[in-house]
Amino acid sequence: MAKIAFTAGRVSGFKCPPDKKQAFMWDVNAPGLGLRATPGGRPAYVFQGVYQSKDLRITIGSPAAWTIPAAQAKARELQRLIDEGKDPRNLKRDAIAAHIAEHVAREANALTVGELWPLYLQSGKPKRRDDWKPRYRADLVAMASPGGERKKRGAGLTRPGPLYPLLALPLVQVNEDSLKIWYDREALASKHQAARALMMFRGFLRWSAGRPEYRNLIDRDAGKSAAIMESLPPSTRRTDALEAAQVAGWWSGVEQLTNRTASVYLRALLLTGARREELAALTWENVDTQWRKLTIADKVDSTRTIPLSPYMAQLLATLPKTGPFVFASTGKAGRISDARSSHSAALQEAGIEHLTFHGLRRSFSLLGEAAGAPAGAIAQIMGHKPSATAEGYRPRSVDALRPFLARIEEHILDLAGVQFDSKTVPGVLRAVG
């Protein structure tokens, strides 16, 4: 095709021959620069050259965006690259890739903790577990809640959770400095709550660092810096438990409670060594009076089954069956949820200064040892994670556990001063001081 000089300002008025898919006009001043037009009427500047004995063609852009001098300068630049032995197509691809990478980097750097937190709740999980425990997941949600809701107890609105301020923070800004500022501010309200929130957030950091798409955005060790760790409150190991001499007074105080459900619930905690939430969630369908078994929702595994000891069976028989839960309540949950006030009243009556619900669980373990039950049997009844360090731990059947739990129960009842006949009609109990 003959080379035709462009007429300045008149590059869009030409027409293509109707029998051609596209037509070119070539510039006589800038070799390789052409103007291409298609039947759709969208002209474009193009550059055509020869690289390594092969023709190449690159689109420069629309005449609406490029002036003739600018297009000519671009054509000369592309020809210089070819003269230098460089393929201008690769440079263009590299420029586009760099632009995309820059855009992706900007998007990634803007990604906040709050945008990733729901995904963490959905697909994150603790070590060596298939999923969150419902209670822990609820705590994660509460820790990051915005607050502002009416309190269930008392007047006023709830305050934001300790982790809520971190949700607005971009992932790339989560470092030991930003976490230290956040922790110091939250610790003013409660050091222990701030410390617990930090431990939860460290789980989020581990999860984020374990995913390739977020690994380069997060500092996994940000929550372990010396400045933060030195500010944490000392961890005190709780050792509260009933002394043997205190069992009778505690039992008497609990037995005198006007709330019958709370009274039975507290004694059942001591007689089974169960966790408070596990026992509170016990349903009647999981009380097998025929084969004398209890199936309890377990913290470590999904459930565990333990023997239904004689006195425990009689104790449960005194409760009315008013719903699916053994320890029923008229509250929203339908079951007992907080027996702390009842327990406090019993402790005051017994003259015992301090004893937590977990202290009752610890008491079961200590009293079980005093009764002569093997450590492995006690651990299995309590739902402790199996360990081979104590008496060569091996799982026992429910029937194999039965005599050990009966022995522990007899020991506790003896300390409490309770005379019990296993042949007593269910629902009728008698205590002798």
Side-chain angles (χ1 to χ4, degrees):
M1 182 177 293
K3 294 185 177 180
I4 304 173
F6 293 132
T7 302
R10 306 263 324 225
V11 295
S12 59
F14 68 90
K15 294 183 179 180
C16 300
D19 59 339
K20 298 286 184 74
K21 291 185 178 180
Q22 58 187 4
F24 291 87
M25 292 190 299
W26 299 98
D27 185 13
V28 295
N29 296 317
L33 176 62
L35 178 67
R36 178 184 64 193
T38 63
R42 292 173 300 203
Y45 288 121
V46 297
F47 170 78
Q48 182 169 296
V50 179
Y51 177 72
Q52 293 184 350
S53 302
K54 293 183 180 180
D55 291 338
L56 62 79
R57 184 177 294 161
I58 298 174
T59 299
I60 294 175
S62 169
W66 289 75
T67 65
I68 292 177
Q72 291 172 333
K74 183 65 176 178
R76 293 187 182 99
E77 177 188 342
L78 295 173
Q79 184 60 54
R80 279 197 303 272
L81 291 173
I82 292 176
D83 294 343
E84 293 171 0
K86 300 175 183 177
D87 189 340
R89 293 169 299 186
N90 291 340
L91 297 177
K92 184 175 182 179
R93 281 193 291 265
D94 292 345
I96 293 174
H99 176 74
I100 294 174
E102 182 181 356
H103 175 73
V104 171
R106 283 198 303 269
E107 294 263 323
N109 289 339
L111 183 65
T112 65
V113 173
E115 292 175 282
L116 202 54
W117 188 259
L119 182 61
Y120 173 58
L121 294 180
Q122 178 182 347
S123 60
K125 61 181 182 179
K127 294 179 180 178
R128 297 180 294 276
R129 301 281 177 82
D130 293 331
D131 201 356
W132 304 113
K133 291 295 181 181
R135 179 69 180 270
Y136 186 78
R137 191 184 189 283
D139 287 345
L140 286 173
V141 172
M143 282 287 188
S145 67
E149 299 181 358
R150 189 173 298 280
K151 291 181 178 180
K152 295 180 179 179
R153 295 184 180 182
L157 303 177
T158 58
R159 66 183 295 271
L163 291 177
Y164 181 72
L166 291 175
L167 299 186
L169 199 64
L171 287 179
V172 293
Q173 294 182 23
V174 176
N175 52 48
E176 61 179 278
D177 294 328
S178 60
L179 284 186
K180 182 66 166 61
I181 293 172
W182 161 80
Y183 175 81
D184 288 345
R185 185 171 56 245
E186 291 299 322
L188 293 176
S190 172
K191 282 190 175 182
H192 289 280
Q193 189 77 339
R196 186 164 185 261
L198 176 64
M199 296 303 107
M200 289 181 166
F201 192 69
R202 280 169 52 175
F204 168 76
L205 295 179
R206 286 193 301 270
W207 174 82
S208 300
R211 299 176 72 93
E213 60 269 41
Y214 309 124
R215 185 173 298 144
N216 295 330
L217 303 176
I218 205 77
D219 181 359
R220 175 174 180 163
D221 297 324
K224 300 179 182 178
S225 66
I228 296 177
M229 298 303 292
E230 291 171 359
S231 301
L232 295 178
S235 57
T236 55
R237 185 181 180 89
R238 292 181 176 179
T239 58
D240 60 305
L242 283 172
E243 299 289 344
Q246 294 177 321
V247 174
W250 179 89
W251 191 279
S252 176
V254 170
E255 197 170 37
Q256 294 176 40
L257 291 172
T258 56
N259 186 332
R260 179 65 184 170
T261 301
S263 174
V264 175
Y265 171 70
L266 291 171
R267 283 179 283 172
L269 285 175
L270 180 62
L271 292 173
T272 61
R275 301 174 180 90
R276 62 186 183 90
E277 282 296 322
E278 293 174 346
L279 199 59
L282 181 66
T283 59
W284 286 113
E285 68 177 357
N286 287 323
V287 178
D288 187 343
T289 55
Q290 179 181 4
W291 302 110
R292 297 180 297 154
K293 295 187 295 184
L294 292 178
T295 301
I296 299 175
D298 192 274
K299 178 181 178 181
V300 177
D301 299 314
S302 56
T303 61
R304 72 175 181 277
T305 301
I306 65 173
L308 177 58
S309 54
Y311 187 86
M312 182 71 177
Q314 300 281 9
L315 198 60
L316 297 184
T318 66
L319 294 174
K321 294 184 179 181
T322 58
F325 294 105
V326 174
F327 303 102
S329 169
T330 56
K332 184 178 179 181
R335 59 178 177 81
I336 195 168
S337 58
D338 192 350
R340 283 179 295 183
S341 59
S342 296
H343 194 213
S344 294
L347 292 176
Q348 186 175 4
E349 177 69 22
I352 299 174
E353 292 185 3
H354 176 71
L355 181 66
T356 62
F357 289 135
H358 200 79
L360 292 175
R361 179 170 162 82
R362 194 175 295 109
S363 300
F364 174 86
S365 177
L366 296 173
L367 295 172
E369 290 180 9
I378 296 172
Q380 188 174 342
I381 293 169
M382 296 176 67
H384 278 156
K385 186 176 181 180
S387 170
T389 59
E391 57 110 64
Y393 177 81
R394 61 191 182 282
R396 294 174 169 86
S397 67
V398 174
D399 284 336
L401 290 174
R402 199 178 302 281
F404 298 125
L405 184 55
R407 186 186 305 174
I408 297 171
E409 183 178 83
E410 290 173 4
H411 180 62
I412 293 174
L413 294 178
D414 183 56
L415 292 174
V418 176
Q419 292 184 354
F420 170 67
D421 182 358
S422 60
K423 298 181 181 179
T424 302
V425 177
V428 179
L429 297 172
R430 185 166 62 94
V432 177

